[in-house]
Amino acid sequence: MRNGGVSETLSKQQSELSGDPAVRRLAYSDLPSVISIERRSFPAPWSLAMFVLELSKPSGICLAATTGEQLLGYVVCSRYDRVWHVMNVAVAPESRRRGVASGLIERLVAEAGRELPFTLEVRVSNRDAIAMYEKLGFRSAGVRPRYYQDNGEDALIMWLDS
């Protein structure tokens, strides 16, 4: 029987030791877990094909937050000419309100850089998400009326300037 030594402990990532989620690139092998989180998070979830399309775009950034082998959440962001568009952010219901989404967005901004602005749409009723985005520096810039097809809810347009 082998005991874990000091060198093994020191080689572990800081996130593993502190209990914080690790953030890495989202992989095709994550998609079953992504679909599970997506279906538990949204009334009109994305299809598997939509995630495959976004993952296949070379200009996009798709990230996963994990602890061990467990997927806690993800962010999908696409680059268009002169803007980054945050397309989808979700965290498993049992992992919410622990900084997972904030960590994903912060890492996204760090990886993409601040040369171009970021934009996103969020349901006007999603006060928790709006508050999180505001804490991260996003500002409201208008409303898209009846943006969400499932119930006709408006979307708040938010921007994080470069």
Side-chain angles (χ1 to χ4, degrees):
M1 184 162 150
R2 184 172 173 229
N3 292 328
V6 173
S7 61
E8 289 177 341
T9 301
L10 292 176
S11 69
K12 289 185 177 183
Q13 291 185 353
Q14 182 61 32
S15 63
E16 289 180 64
L17 298 175
S18 67
D20 292 337
V23 177
R24 61 167 171 74
R25 290 291 176 144
L26 191 67
Y28 290 105
S29 60
D30 294 318
L31 291 180
S33 296
V34 165
I35 293 299
S36 173
I37 293 170
E38 182 78 3
R39 288 182 179 158
R40 292 182 290 147
S41 298
F42 301 112
W46 279 18
S47 68
L48 176 62
M50 293 169 80
F51 283 103
V52 169
L53 176 65
E54 291 302 322
L55 276 171
S56 70
K57 292 180 179 177
S59 63
I61 299 175
C62 302
L63 301 174
T66 62
T67 33
E69 297 297 314
Q70 182 183 7
L71 183 74
L72 305 177
Y74 53 88
V75 62
V76 175
C77 186
S78 291
R79 181 175 172 189
Y80 297 97
D81 189 32
R82 301 177 74 75
V83 67
W84 287 100
H85 189 168
V86 180
M87 308 287 289
N88 194 329
V89 181
V91 175
E94 62 277 8
S95 298
R96 292 183 186 154
R97 304 198 66 76
R98 296 183 191 164
V100 175
S102 296
L104 283 164
I105 299 291
E106 288 169 347
R107 175 71 174 273
L108 170 67
V109 171
E111 283 202 22
R114 294 295 294 260
E115 294 81 34
L116 298 176
F118 292 79
T119 189
L120 58 83
E121 293 87 11
V122 58
R123 288 177 187 268
V124 294
S125 64
N126 194 344
R127 300 306 308 162
D128 289 341
I130 292 167
M132 177 198 64
Y133 292 131
E134 287 174 340
K135 278 185 177 178
L136 293 170
F138 283 81
R139 296 291 167 244
S140 301
V143 172
R144 293 195 198 283
R146 302 189 55 75
Y147 181 78
Y148 292 97
Q149 294 180 357
D150 62 310
N151 66 357
E153 185 174 358
D154 295 347
L156 182 64
I157 304 164
M158 300 187 82
W159 286 87
L160 177 65
D161 293 322
S162 53

